[in-house]
């Protein structure tokens, strides 16, 4: 079966946005909680795999980065195939119906706000309960890898995180866009895997992933305050993610292919 063409992908994104718009607030929050949890599980797996090879990371950091990137897509695969509501994907979905006036700007803000909150709660649940309380990352080298990763993220400049946020969600939004083109599970997994792997290896900043990585590092004793997490990383990463998803993916393709 042939894959969907770009024009059909724009229509599929609009359908996805309208479906989310018509979902109740409670169900939206539940699906957003699941998405935040799924992305966090991908983050946990990436630390266990990529962060568990410190000698290799010193000798050839590209290998450890690739190992992290190779397994992190678990989160988005679960979101797309099992079904969940992810903020970064919705930044792209809601632009075509906004341009066609099928939805109003307040509809976009309602969904994004609810989903962002639900994603944050889900990521914190995995970070505190299934990671910190379970002691999964308590030992070396995983504890050190997590803390080093998080401290590096909060010590970047606002502009750097913002730009890296654009790159991250340009690729993540493209991953969910490409998944629309596939007609079977295997095709969707392959479509998701390459862009998500790429953004992780490139070191870009994904707001929902950072909702897991940085608070979990704080739980494990990292020298990071909650305010530095929010103002130094989460806000600029979120703004960059909005640009990458809404303008570079949803906006451009809607401009080109919507009638």
């Amino acid at each position: 079966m042939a894959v969907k063409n770009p024009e059909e992908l724009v229509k599929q994104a609009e359908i996805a946005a309208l479906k989310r718009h018509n979902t109740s607030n409670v169900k939206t929050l539940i699906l957003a909680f699941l998405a935040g949890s799924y992305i966090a599980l991908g983050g946990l797996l990436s630390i266990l795999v990529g962060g568990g090879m410190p000698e290799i990371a010193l000798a050839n950091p590209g290998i450890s980065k690739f190992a992290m990137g190779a397994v992190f897509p678990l989160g988005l695969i679960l979101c797309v195939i099992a079904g969940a509501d992810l903020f970064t994907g919705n930044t792209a979905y809601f632009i075509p119906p906004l341009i066609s006036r099928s939805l109003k700007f307040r509809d976009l803000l309602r969904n994004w706000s609810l989903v962002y909150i639900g994603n944050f709660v889900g990521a914190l649940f995995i970070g505190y309960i299934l990671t910190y309380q379970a002691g999964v990352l308590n030992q070396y080298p995983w504890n050190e890898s997590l803390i080093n990763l998080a401290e590096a993220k909060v010590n970047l400049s606002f502009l750097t995180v913002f730009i890296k946020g654009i790159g991250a969600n340009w690729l993540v939004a493209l991953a969910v866009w490409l998944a629309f083109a596939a007609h079977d599970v295997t095709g969707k997994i392959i479509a998701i895997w390459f862009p998500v792997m790429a953004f992780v290896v490139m070191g870009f900043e994904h707001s929902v992933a950072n909702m897991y990585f940085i608070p979990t590092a704080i739980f494990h004793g990292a020298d990071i305050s909650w305010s530095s997490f929010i103002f130094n990383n989460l806000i600029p990463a979120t703004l960059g993610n909005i640009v990458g998803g809404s303008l570079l993916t949803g906006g451009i393709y809607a401009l080109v292919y919507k009638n």
Side-chain angles (χ1 to χ4, degrees):
M1 186 180 291
V3 299
K4 293 183 178 69
N5 62 44
E7 185 174 356
E8 291 172 318
L9 298 185
V10 174
K11 292 178 182 177
Q12 195 67 38
E14 184 162 5
I15 290 169
L18 292 170
K19 181 177 180 181
R20 283 159 171 76
H21 169 66
N22 291 321
T23 302
S24 70
N25 290 352
V26 171
K27 289 183 178 179
T28 295
L29 285 169
I30 292 171
L31 290 170
F33 170 85
L34 290 177
S37 299
Y38 295 160
I39 295 299
L41 288 171
L44 173 57
L45 183 61
S46 72
I47 291 291
L48 287 169
V49 176
M53 48 179 72
E55 295 83 5
I56 293 175
L58 284 173
N60 192 335
I63 293 178
S64 62
K65 285 185 176 183
F66 179 74
M68 291 187 74
V71 298
F72 183 83
L74 167 71
L76 193 59
I77 290 168
L78 290 173
C79 289
V80 171
I81 296 175
D85 217 345
L86 183 64
F87 169 76
T88 47
N90 286 7
T91 62
Y93 296 161
F94 274 74
I95 302 306
L98 186 68
I99 291 175
S100 66
R101 299 183 181 179
S102 300
L103 292 177
K104 296 181 173 63
F105 188 67
R106 66 171 179 265
D107 300 324
L108 176 151
L109 290 180
R110 167 190 165 270
N111 178 268
W112 285 9
S113 299
L114 288 171
V115 171
Y116 194 84
I117 292 167
N119 287 173
F120 207 162
V121 174
L124 289 176
F125 171 75
I126 300 300
Y128 187 73
I129 302 298
L130 292 190
T131 305
Y132 177 65
Q133 290 293 343
V136 178
L137 299 179
N138 281 356
Q139 281 111 21
Y140 176 85
W142 298 285
N143 184 285
E144 183 176 306
S145 295
L146 171 67
I147 290 174
N148 288 343
L149 176 68
E151 290 182 348
K153 286 177 176 291
V154 299
N155 284 302
L156 297 171
S157 72
F158 190 101
L159 180 60
T160 298
V161 177
F162 173 74
I163 293 170
K164 287 190 171 190
I166 294 173
N169 207 35
W170 194 3
L171 286 164
V172 170
L174 283 172
V176 295
W177 213 261
L178 294 179
F180 285 143
H183 294 278
D184 57 29
V185 171
T186 301
K188 290 182 184 295
I189 290 173
I190 294 172
I192 292 166
W193 187 84
F194 277 97
V196 176
M197 174 276 294
F199 106 74
V200 175
V201 175
M202 293 171 186
F204 292 151
E205 298 289 327
H206 187 269
S207 58
V208 181
N210 290 350
M211 291 173 184
Y212 169 74
F213 287 127
I214 301 176
T216 305
I218 294 173
F219 300 147
H220 284 82
D223 185 20
I224 301 171
S225 66
W226 284 95
S227 62
S228 64
F229 157 52
I230 292 170
F231 292 104
N232 294 1
N233 184 275
L234 188 60
I235 290 175
T238 300
L239 294 174
N241 289 169
I242 290 171
V243 172
S246 64
L247 296 183
L248 295 181
T249 306
I252 286 178
Y253 281 112
L255 180 66
V256 173
Y257 289 107
K258 277 197 71 65
N259 296 324

